[in-house]
Amino acid sequence: MAFEDIYQEYSPKIFRVCMGYVNDAEQARDLTQETFIAVWQNLPAFENRSKLSTWIFRIATNNCLRAIEKSNRIKTTDLPLSLPAIHEETQEEKLNFLYNCIAGLEETERIIISLVLEDLPQAEIASIVGMSNINIRVKIHRIKEKLSKKFKEHGQFE
């Protein structure tokens, strides 16, 4: 498969996964670009020991984790605990709310749910994250419960 074809097929998915990690479109675009630079540089050395998609998502995941680690070194302040409910009207606002909820999850949970949103099979997610299929299934269920609770708290299911 030519690099251009790989880029066309996977770049939107990788961007969405990166958004799930960093919740910042500009940074997600940068991480997507870094991912595909790494793919382009290492494509000749790819040994087909895993699926191409697994390899690309793993590169993206590692890039995102490094970016998060780097940003954690910078001091930030927390938002007040009681924010007024936000009434989203547009699809974009709802999507931003989803990414905000995902950003509030633990690091591993963000990885897993981002890959689920890309419709990756649980076995492939398990391979990318380094967990068993059963553990991934349980984690996905718990993550969905957490997200549902956040959505209900903010009136998203009313």
Side-chain angles (χ1 to χ4, degrees):
M1 189 178 236
F3 176 77
E4 292 80 15
D5 297 332
I6 293 170
Y7 181 80
Q8 290 298 321
E9 182 174 344
Y10 292 104
S11 64
K13 296 175 183 180
I14 295 300
F15 173 77
R16 289 188 298 268
V17 167
C18 292
M19 272 296 290
Y21 278 100
V22 297
N23 195 30
D24 177 339
E26 191 65 34
Q27 188 177 10
R29 278 192 284 278
D30 289 345
L31 288 167
T32 301
Q33 184 176 9
E34 289 173 22
T35 298
F36 282 98
I37 289 171
V39 168
W40 179 72
Q41 290 173 334
N42 296 298
L43 192 57
F46 178 65
E47 298 175 353
N48 289 319
R49 282 192 257 164
S50 64
K51 288 174 61 177
L52 180 64
S53 60
T54 302
W55 180 65
I56 294 171
F57 278 106
R58 192 68 200 152
I59 292 170
T61 299
N62 288 336
N63 283 340
C64 291
L65 291 175
R66 279 192 296 274
I68 291 169
E69 183 180 312
K70 189 176 181 180
S71 71
N72 285 342
R73 292 184 208 139
I74 300 169
K75 256 189 175 178
T76 58
T77 58
D78 291 332
L79 292 173
L81 293 177
S82 57
L83 294 174
I86 299 171
H87 300 291
E88 283 91 24
E89 296 175 356
T90 68
Q91 191 68 14
E92 184 177 333
E93 288 173 328
K94 289 179 182 180
L95 190 59
N96 285 335
F97 182 77
L98 172 63
Y99 282 126
N100 283 330
C101 290
I102 290 172
L105 297 172
E106 295 175 17
E107 191 172 286
T108 305
E109 293 174 335
R110 286 194 311 262
I111 295 167
I112 293 169
I113 198 64
S114 295
L115 296 173
V116 167
L117 290 172
E118 289 305 322
D119 290 328
L120 265 66
Q122 287 184 1
E124 193 170 343
I125 295 171
S127 174
I128 291 168
V129 177
M131 294 182 177
S132 70
N133 287 346
I134 293 171
N135 197 356
I136 289 294
R137 187 176 319 133
V138 170
K139 288 255 188 212
I140 290 170
H141 178 73
R142 290 181 181 159
I143 293 167
K144 286 179 178 179
E145 284 179 341
K146 284 182 181 181
L147 291 174
S148 292
K149 183 179 176 186
K150 287 182 180 186
F151 270 66
K152 287 177 184 174
E153 287 172 357
H154 290 85
Q156 295 296 315
F157 289 134
E158 295 179 342

